[in-house]
Amino acid sequence: MNRRVVILGAGNVATNFALALNDEYKIVQIYSRTLANALELAEKVGCEAVNDLKMVLNDADIYIIAVNDDAIANIIDNTTTSNKALWLHTSGSTPIEVFQGKRRYYGVCWPVQSLSKSNVVKMNDVHLFVEGNTDKATHEIEKFASAISQNVHKAPSHDRLLLHVASVFACNFANHMFALSSEVLDEAGLSFDIMMPLIKTMVEKLDYLTPKESQTGPAARGDIKIIEKHLSSLTGDKREIYKLLSHSIMRSNEKRRNK
């Protein structure tokens, strides 16, 4: 018999999870504060849509909370189910203790990936980090995660927090650097497309080099004259970010330069 799943949320993570579940699990309901969003996802997976927490089914087997971190506790506090149900959230930084004293079986299933509704990824390749409050819960979460991805790892809350920090550096901050690069190019009337071969080569090098080994540029070389020339062309946040990052790169590559 298929395990019955309720997904609380209809955004980026909820959409990717819902579309990745295989025949072993049956999504029976989607909740979102915005009914249109709930309906949009519910139509894709063939289930009921609701926008009131009082209407959330109380007899499902698994409940997945896939919302913003600050909304997780509110959902837990305003829903009830049987003691047999397994509850999960999908946050990297919210500890498992958010469920403590409020649910019997609970845990976390967090995807290390930048997910969006408009560009659904192949979840089979995404690394999922899981944690359960009991051996039974952990086993069930691992089984659930394995139905979505072939890359499932156990990780306590502290490790997930560090993984989340690392993800912000690798993805969110890196993307912001692309945005700043685009703004600089705009000033010269140039397209960001010029950067794409450079960015692709940079990422491809990480298949065979560590990030530190692949670092290039004036800061890695300790080329102070070029750095000062670049700084003279920048103002505001861009100037301060360039200065801070150049200093960090120079310190990180000091030993390599002195060999």
Side-chain angles (χ1 to χ4, degrees):
M1 181 178 177
N2 291 350
R3 302 278 281 162
R4 290 159 48 86
V5 177
V6 169
I7 297 181
L8 298 124
N12 297 327
V13 177
T15 297
N16 279 267
F17 266 64
L19 297 179
L21 281 176
N22 66 14
D23 294 337
E24 191 173 344
Y25 296 89
K26 179 178 175 58
I27 300 172
V28 293
Q29 190 179 62
I30 301 291
Y31 160 82
S32 174
R33 289 181 301 174
T34 305
L35 184 58
N37 292 342
L39 284 168
E40 180 184 4
L41 181 54
E43 288 174 2
K44 293 178 181 178
V45 295
C47 71
E48 178 187 24
V50 297
N51 66 340
D52 186 342
L53 288 174
K54 294 178 182 178
M55 298 175 65
V56 171
L57 297 171
N58 60 14
D59 62 348
D61 300 301
I62 299 176
Y63 293 80
I64 304 168
I65 303 177
V67 297
N68 292 335
D69 288 17
D70 56 6
I72 294 174
N74 179 66
I75 287 178
I76 296 170
D77 290 340
N78 288 280
T79 50
T80 58
T81 58
S82 72
N83 285 334
K84 295 180 179 180
L86 174 67
W87 280 76
L88 308 174
H89 73 63
T90 60
S91 167
S93 294
T94 301
I96 191 174
E97 285 77 16
V98 70
F99 289 108
Q100 197 166 36
K102 301 174 182 178
R103 297 293 186 272
R104 184 175 180 183
Y105 298 113
Y106 55 85
V108 182
C109 182
W110 174 55
V112 182
Q113 181 57 279
S114 177
L115 302 175
S116 66
K117 295 167 64 172
S118 59
N119 184 28
V120 175
V121 304
K122 294 180 180 179
M123 289 291 289
N124 192 48
D125 296 327
V126 174
H127 290 266
L128 298 179
F129 286 84
V130 303
E131 179 184 13
N133 71 312
T134 66
D135 289 344
K136 178 181 178 180
T138 300
H139 175 74
E140 187 65 39
I141 296 167
E142 286 183 299
K143 182 180 178 182
F144 170 83
S146 295
I148 297 174
S149 171
Q150 61 182 353
N151 299 303
V152 178
H153 319 271
K154 292 181 184 178
S157 294
H158 177 263
D159 289 354
R160 282 198 320 279
L161 176 61
L162 294 179
L163 282 162
H164 201 192
V165 171
S167 300
V168 169
F169 274 105
C171 180
N172 306 134
F173 288 173
N175 188 72
H176 185 59
M177 295 302 101
F178 299 153
L180 295 183
S181 171
S182 181
E183 290 178 9
V184 172
L185 289 166
D186 286 344
E187 293 178 20
L190 298 171
S191 169
F192 184 72
D193 290 344
I194 295 169
M195 294 290 106
M196 293 310 296
L198 175 65
I199 293 169
K200 290 177 180 178
T201 298
M202 176 193 70
V203 173
E204 287 169 357
K205 284 196 299 183
L206 297 178
D207 286 336
Y208 54 90
L209 294 174
T210 67
K212 183 172 287 190
E213 289 170 340
S214 69
Q215 186 71 58
T216 61
R221 298 191 301 269
D223 196 334
I224 302 298
K225 289 183 178 180
I226 293 296
I227 291 172
E228 289 178 346
K229 188 176 290 187
H230 287 177
L231 286 171
S232 70
S233 71
L234 297 170
T235 60
D237 285 350
K238 291 187 187 70
R239 190 177 194 280
E240 294 306 310
I241 290 169
Y242 188 104
K243 184 189 296 185
L244 178 63
L245 289 177
S246 293
H247 179 67
S248 179
I249 293 170
M250 287 177 69
R251 289 186 60 185
S252 180
N253 287 269
E254 188 173 6
K255 290 182 179 180
R256 198 170 83 179
R257 289 197 308 273
N258 294 333
K259 283 184 178 180

